[in-house]
Amino acid sequence: MRGLRKTYADGFTAVDDLDLEIPDGAFFGLLGPNGAGKTTLIGSVCNIVRPTAGTLTVFGHDHRTREARSLIGLAEQEINVDRFLSIRQMLIYHAGYHGIGRRTARRRADELLGLLRLDRKADSRAYELSGGMQRRLILARALMHRPRLLILDEPTAGVDVELRAEIWRLVKRLNAAGTTILLTTHYLEEAETLCDQIALLRAGRIVDRGSSNALRERYGVRDISEVYSRVLSVEVDS
């Protein structure tokens, strides 16, 4: 991202001349309060939000191109699923959007349903699943076309401790296998545990960035939650 800016019709600037490069293969965390610009930034990457200014590329491809979109998997915070399809059908249909043939899509759907322990619910509708199972379904859908960049927007919001640990193990394996991951979360421990780089975002701008160790040392604190509080208080005071 170079000079990325988004100003909405009401005059609110959600992202303000933001520069950010996420290395290939990174597990990158994006932290900030509600309204900091995280959702707008993600929407811009996925070509859901049209930036006002700036450039944005995904592995060298302009973010508006089919090539860029095919490289991105988005696991949204909102549970937005089709109420009339079984969860297996939903995954197969999603694969079709990316040009994956039905036979391959069936195999991939069954693979992910097994991996995420949803195989016994394959013929159920999404609204029949528990909240935790719906979270797993959203993740499975994002992984159907084997994206090179996986965006996780609050992936463990509202889930229990056991499922959170399960999702952590899965995304760690994906990253170790080469998938670049961009994570937004309000669970600061989650970012500290998973991410090799963290950026702190406020009012549409990055106010600091680094590894967990580097950020802790910079502010002389014990954990990322203290870094987070310190950075926000500096911003408020200024």
Side-chain angles (χ1 to χ4, degrees):
M1 304 170 200
R2 291 288 179 268
L4 190 71
R5 185 169 75 254
K6 176 58 181 179
T7 300
Y8 289 95
D10 62 0
F12 175 68
T13 297
V15 176
D16 190 7
D17 292 326
L18 187 143
D19 294 335
L20 176 64
E21 183 171 349
I22 298 174
D24 189 3
F27 202 132
F28 195 92
L30 195 63
L31 305 181
N34 292 332
K38 301 186 300 295
T39 299
T40 296
L41 190 153
I42 288 173
S44 298
V45 175
C46 297
N47 199 34
I48 298 168
V49 173
R50 180 177 296 179
T52 307
T55 60
L56 201 162
T57 58
V58 180
F59 302 112
H61 301 283
D62 185 286
H63 73 291
R64 295 165 293 187
T65 63
R66 183 182 295 273
E67 290 82 3
R69 293 197 296 272
S70 71
L71 294 168
I72 300 171
L74 172 63
E76 305 97 321
Q77 179 179 0
E78 181 183 355
I79 305 295
N80 56 344
V81 293
D82 193 310
R83 292 179 57 85
F84 301 102
L85 299 176
S86 71
I87 65 174
R88 177 186 281 118
Q89 288 172 329
M90 188 185 312
L91 296 180
I92 292 170
Y93 277 38
H94 181 78
Y97 298 144
H98 292 276
I100 298 173
R102 186 167 288 270
R103 182 178 297 179
T104 302
R106 287 196 191 102
R107 286 199 302 268
R108 178 63 172 162
D110 288 339
E111 173 189 337
L112 287 170
L113 290 170
L115 179 66
L116 292 165
R117 295 192 291 112
L118 291 169
D119 43 329
R120 294 185 180 180
K121 298 288 187 178
D123 296 320
S124 301
R125 303 296 188 266
Y127 65 82
E128 298 172 326
L129 304 180
S130 68
M133 287 183 175
Q134 289 182 3
R135 282 276 165 220
R136 279 183 262 164
L137 173 58
I138 293 297
L139 181 56
R141 184 176 64 184
L143 293 171
M144 270 300 290
H145 59 295
R146 302 182 188 276
R148 190 172 164 188
L149 169 64
L150 176 63
I151 300 176
L152 303 172
D153 188 10
E154 300 286 346
T156 60
V159 307
D160 59 34
V161 173
E162 182 180 356
L163 179 55
R164 181 173 299 130
E166 182 181 315
I167 291 175
W168 285 10
R169 287 192 294 270
L170 173 60
V171 296
K172 281 182 178 179
R173 289 201 303 271
L174 289 168
N175 181 242
T179 303
T180 303
I181 298 179
L182 173 59
L183 168 74
T184 75
T185 180
H186 285 295
Y187 295 110
L188 302 183
E189 178 193 358
E190 184 165 78
E192 190 163 19
T193 300
L194 297 175
C195 300
D196 45 48
Q197 285 281 313
I198 294 171
L200 295 146
L201 190 70
R202 184 182 178 89
R205 294 184 175 183
I206 292 174
V207 294
D208 212 337
R209 173 183 175 173
S211 68
S212 294
N213 287 339
L215 289 169
R216 287 195 300 266
E217 290 177 6
R218 191 174 302 155
Y219 292 93
V221 296
R222 294 171 298 175
D223 55 41
I224 288 298
S225 64
E226 292 185 73
V227 173
Y228 187 93
S229 298
R230 189 76 63 85
V231 169
L232 292 184
S233 68
V234 167
E235 284 294 296
V236 170
D237 292 343
S238 63

